[in-house]
Every structure is written in C-alpha cells, then in structure tokens.
Amino acid sequence: MTPLIAGNWKMNGLLASARTLAETIAAKVAGATRAIPEVALCPPAALVHAVGQVIEQQAKGGQTVALGAQDCHPKEKGAHTGDTSAWLLKDMGCRYVIVGHSERRADHGETDATVQSKAAAAHAAGLIPIVCVGETEAERDRGETEAVIARQVAGSLPAAATAANTVIAYEPVWAIGTGRTPTVPEIAAVHTQIRALFAQRHGAADGLRILYGGSVKGSNAAEVLAAKGVNGALVGGASLDPVDFWRIIEACPMSPGGAP
Ligand code: 13P
C-alpha cells in the first residue's frame, strides 16, 4: 500500500497564494528522486479548480499530486445553496474528498449519518472519501476514546466501503491545531482498533489506509508516521508551508510503521 500525505488547507489561501503553494509542492513531487508517498492537496472549494489546473500544468512525467476537497453534499444536484456536489468535485479533477472533519461536525452539526451519506455520495461520484473520526479531550479524559471511535466508524462508513475506495483519518479533536499529539502507543492503539472494526464490517482491511491527523509537523512526522498501523497523515497548518509539508512527505516511511 502506498502511504498518503494529504494537506487540508482548511479556509486558507487566496487565488494567487494557492497557485504558488500548489506549484511549489507539485514541482517538488514531480522532481522527487526517490519513492515518496502519494501527496494530495485539499484546498477550499472555490480554489479546487485553480489548484487542479496548476497540478495538471506541473505534471511533466514525474509523480503527480492528487487533488482533493474538504467536503461535499450528499446529493448529486438540486436546491442546496452554497454546497458542492461530489460529482462537481470529480468533474474538476478531484480524487479525494474529506468528509466528517471534526470542524464540520462541530461547526455544521454534522452527525455520523450525515457523514455516511456524504461518503456514499463520494463513492457514487467515483471519489475516495477521507472519513475523519476522533475523540474530544473530554471524551479522552473520561476514558471514552474507544467507544467514540467505535461509534463514529460504525456510523460514518457506508456499507459499500472497501479498503480500496475509502481512507480513514484518525484526528483527535484535542490535537488539531494545538501542537499536542497523542503518544505513539496511543496512536497505534486507535489505528489498530479502527482496522479491526473495518475488517469486521467491510472485509479485508490490510490495504486500508488509516491516516493520523492533528499537529503533524516536520519536526514530529518521523515519529508519528512510524507508529504501527499509520499509513500517512492528514496535515492542516503545516501543509500551508511548503518547506515543512515537504519535510513531512520525506519523513513518511514507504512501508507501514512497525513501532508498537
Ligand atoms: P493541524 O495539522 O493544523 O493540527 O490540523 C489537522 C487537521 O485538522 C487536518 O485535517
């Protein structure tokens, strides 16, 4: 399985800065002199098309960057002001769409059922959903991490999810944008749990990519990405800095981590 490093730009960037950032990353990826993970960029919806064009222009024979988005609507089309369909994202060249990010669960009241319907739309449109799960700090403190993850994984994944058509991202809410990360054994424990849950409901999970997200930076990437069961990262803040994002890409082991 090829690991995946995905940059979630969140609500950052304007047209010019997005183009420059995408150009820089795409050129580095195309010029890589050794095997590197798959790299995806997930700009804000209004910048997806422009970033897709930059990626296309930069694809000169080397490895190309994949395009992703940060959300989609469950429906194909219709009267849903301000929303973006998975089909439009596919049409604009996306391969991935993040669904169920904790910021959307919190800011837009998205439930597991909403997330599941968005992931199903992504599948129907031919996209790979990156389905996010993760506990809050209060839930972790109460010892509820395992229960929360079990509930979110069961509720957020469509029945048709397979290791090939779906990516899961474990993003502890308290680690997002805080500079704090779980310990390597804590990350490994949740990834092992997610893989087991997936195997129970969806069959073979060996090839399933489970990303870790939450304060991944160049300085901690090697440690976090070597944790057992981690197959890449979903990166927020550090993905806006091409130098730090590249450090993360370079730090990613090409085979799954073996640390306990
Ligand atoms: P940070 O890397 O900024 O902590 O954000 C993580 C995240 O939410 C990625 O989706």
Side-chain angles (χ1 to χ4, degrees):
M1 144 210 336
T2 309
L4 171 65
I5 303 291
N8 174 8
W9 292 359
K10 307 191 178 182
M11 198 175 73
N12 292 292
L14 300 175
L15 196 46
S17 63
R19 283 191 174 127
T20 305
L21 180 55
E23 247 164 46
T24 309
I25 300 297
K28 278 177 172 288
V29 167
T33 51
R34 62 171 178 82
I36 56 166
E38 183 179 6
V39 177
L41 299 179
C42 305
L47 294 174
V48 165
H49 188 237
V51 168
Q53 286 182 322
V54 168
I55 288 173
E56 214 168 285
Q57 283 157 14
Q58 292 282 325
K60 298 185 188 95
Q63 183 173 330
T64 56
V65 169
L67 186 62
Q70 299 173 15
D71 179 47
C72 66
H73 192 275
K75 296 266 170 58
E76 185 173 355
K77 59 185 173 186
H80 303 288
T81 303
D83 278 312
T84 306
S85 81
W87 285 261
L88 174 55
L89 298 174
K90 175 75 178 172
D91 193 41
M92 290 193 288
C94 284
R95 175 170 162 80
Y96 296 101
V97 60
I98 299 168
V99 294
H101 192 282
S102 60
E103 286 151 17
R104 292 211 57 90
R105 289 179 188 258
D107 296 353
H108 299 269
E110 293 192 5
T111 62
D112 289 334
T114 319
V115 177
Q116 188 187 89
S117 63
K118 290 181 171 197
H123 286 150
L127 296 175
I128 297 174
I130 300 175
V131 181
C132 300
V133 296
E135 81 287 0
T136 63
E137 182 155 34
E139 288 164 342
R140 178 162 281 266
D141 289 348
R142 290 197 298 265
E144 293 170 8
T145 300
E146 210 177 307
V148 170
I149 297 298
R151 190 180 69 229
Q152 290 184 340
V153 169
S156 305
L157 292 177
T162 66
N165 71 12
T166 302
V167 172
I168 298 177
Y170 168 51
E171 296 208 319
V173 179
W174 54 272
I176 296 176
T178 59
R180 296 161 58 207
T181 55
T183 64
V184 166
E186 283 168 346
I187 294 172
V190 176
H191 281 238
T192 300
Q193 185 202 356
I194 292 172
R195 202 174 303 280
L197 290 168
F198 191 93
Q200 276 166 22
R201 288 177 166 251
H202 304 278
D206 287 352
L208 174 70
R209 289 182 296 181
I210 307 176
L211 314 182
Y212 168 76
S215 295
V216 178
K217 305 184 277 273
S219 55
N220 64 12
E223 190 188 5
V224 164
L225 289 165
K228 192 168 167 11
V230 172
N231 314 114
L234 184 54
V235 184
S239 72
L240 299 170
D241 172 354
V243 174
D244 211 36
F245 192 53
W246 185 250
R247 273 182 79 192
I248 296 169
I249 293 164
E250 286 201 307
C252 184
M254 288 304 289
S255 51

